Amino acid sequence: MSIRIHPVKAFNDNYIWTLINESNKQAIVIDPGQAAPLIDYLEANGLELTSIWTTHHHHDHIGGVAELQEHFPMTHLVAHSEHNVDEDQTIKDGSTVSAWGFSAQVWDIPGHTASHMAYILDIDGLKHCFCGDTLFSGGCGRVFTGTIEQLFESFKRLNGLPPETLLYPAHEYTASNMRFGLSIEPENAAIQQALSQAEEKTAQGIPTLPVTLEHERAVNVFLRTDKASVIAGVASKTNLEDDKPLTVFAALRTLKNNF
Ligand SMILES: [Zn+2]
């Protein structure tokens, strides 16, 4: 038995990552902001929804939960106590969630929000990390109810995963993030290549995700705050008090807010 992972598109640029067990036709979804596109997909493929996992409380991640629970009454809802849903299993950092005999480790990676969960699912030794709105390909989430210090620490923690780990962010922001990355590191060939690939895929409606952590280390300036080229790029646009990674990270987030 193996698990297939499929993105169901919602709103303009959300992905509802769907774990599919082909042998029993069951599905688990992460962050269903909308129910309709998911119900269409599940029914077209003869799948029964058995679990919902949420990363954080924003509407575009939980908006479809109630309707899905009504449509699939046996659905088991996994969430943190701050996610504003009526969960069956309350999770926190260090919890384990199971998917047909495979297990997902739960990490709290705050910053975008005060509590933000990541689900790190191990399938035959390869890790699949559902990271919500914390890390996007080439970028990071905005700081809402968390702090920039928390987001920085969460990035450090994600960066400690094995390089081949697959990352599954909840939004298609890749092309715009790569344009921002090039404004900081214009000579970075990996970002140049990632931008042209993202533009090509986006034009064809193909997701640019998932990505490996190894790829992100080459193209995501928020993971590159110790690189001389990133420090120089930030310093050319804004006044840097020092070149500590947290200072550079915070300055990058502010520059991106106005990009
Ligand atoms: Zn969010």
Side-chain angles (χ1 to χ4, degrees):
M1 199 277 287
S2 78
I3 299 178
R4 187 161 69 81
I5 304 175
H6 175 80
V8 173
K9 293 184 184 181
F11 303 109
N12 283 336
D13 50 33
N14 281 66
Y15 291 128
I16 303 170
W17 292 105
T18 305
L19 313 180
I20 298 158
N21 179 342
E22 291 289 5
S23 53
N24 62 11
K25 290 285 176 186
Q26 292 182 345
I28 295 171
V29 298
I30 297 147
D31 286 353
Q34 266 183 320
L38 200 57
I39 291 171
D40 288 351
Y41 177 79
L42 296 172
E43 290 189 340
N45 290 276
L47 298 168
E48 180 198 1
L49 183 65
T50 54
S51 290
I52 298 171
W53 302 350
T54 61
T55 64
H56 66 296
H57 72 276
H58 284 158
H59 179 75
D60 62 320
H61 296 253
I62 63 162
V65 167
E67 194 181 332
L68 287 167
Q69 284 177 304
E70 236 168 77
H71 202 92
F72 299 98
M74 299 307 284
T75 299
H76 180 77
L77 176 58
V78 175
H80 186 273
S81 57
E82 288 171 19
H83 290 181
N84 295 340
V85 290
D86 187 13
E87 73 273 11
D88 301 301
Q89 182 183 354
T90 306
I91 47 151
K92 56 182 193 321
D93 188 69
S95 297
T96 301
V97 179
S98 71
W100 309 294
F102 295 99
S103 73
Q105 294 301 309
V106 176
W107 282 8
D108 194 357
I109 47 167
H112 174 67
T113 45
S115 115
H116 187 302
M117 301 296 130
Y119 296 88
I120 302 165
L121 177 66
D122 191 309
I123 304 176
D124 301 330
L126 179 62
K127 289 182 163 56
H128 301 257
C129 175
F130 300 90
C131 52
D133 286 355
T134 298
L135 179 148
F136 301 119
S137 185
C140 70
R142 278 178 192 260
V143 173
F144 287 102
T145 51
T147 67
I148 192 76
E149 290 82 7
Q150 287 175 331
L151 192 58
F152 176 72
E153 289 303 318
S154 295
F155 259 61
K156 277 212 298 211
R157 193 171 178 193
L158 289 172
N159 202 14
L161 285 163
E164 66 277 12
T165 302
L166 287 164
L167 302 167
Y168 296 77
H171 288 272
E172 180 62 68
Y173 291 158
T174 309
S176 124
N177 284 338
M178 294 306 163
R179 280 180 212 114
F180 173 70
L182 282 180
S183 78
I184 303 295
E185 282 189 290
E187 309 294 326
N188 183 321
I191 303 182
Q192 292 167 358
Q193 194 188 3
L195 175 59
S196 62
Q197 283 177 352
E199 284 175 336
E200 209 170 295
K201 283 185 173 170
T202 304
Q204 297 171 38
I206 300 170
T208 62
L209 307 169
V211 284
T212 64
L213 176 59
E214 189 173 28
H215 172 77
E216 285 306 296
R217 285 175 182 162
V219 302
N220 191 324
V221 288
F222 292 89
L223 285 172
R224 299 173 54 76
T225 51
D226 58 342
K227 302 284 183 281
S229 50
V230 173
I231 296 166
V234 173
S236 73
K237 294 181 183 301
T238 189
N239 184 36
L240 268 183
E241 303 250 317
D242 58 62
D243 61 5
K244 291 188 185 119
L246 172 58
T247 313
V248 177
F249 187 91
L252 279 169
R253 186 57 263 179
T254 304
L255 287 168
K256 179 67 170 64
N257 291 346
N258 303 309
F259 182 69

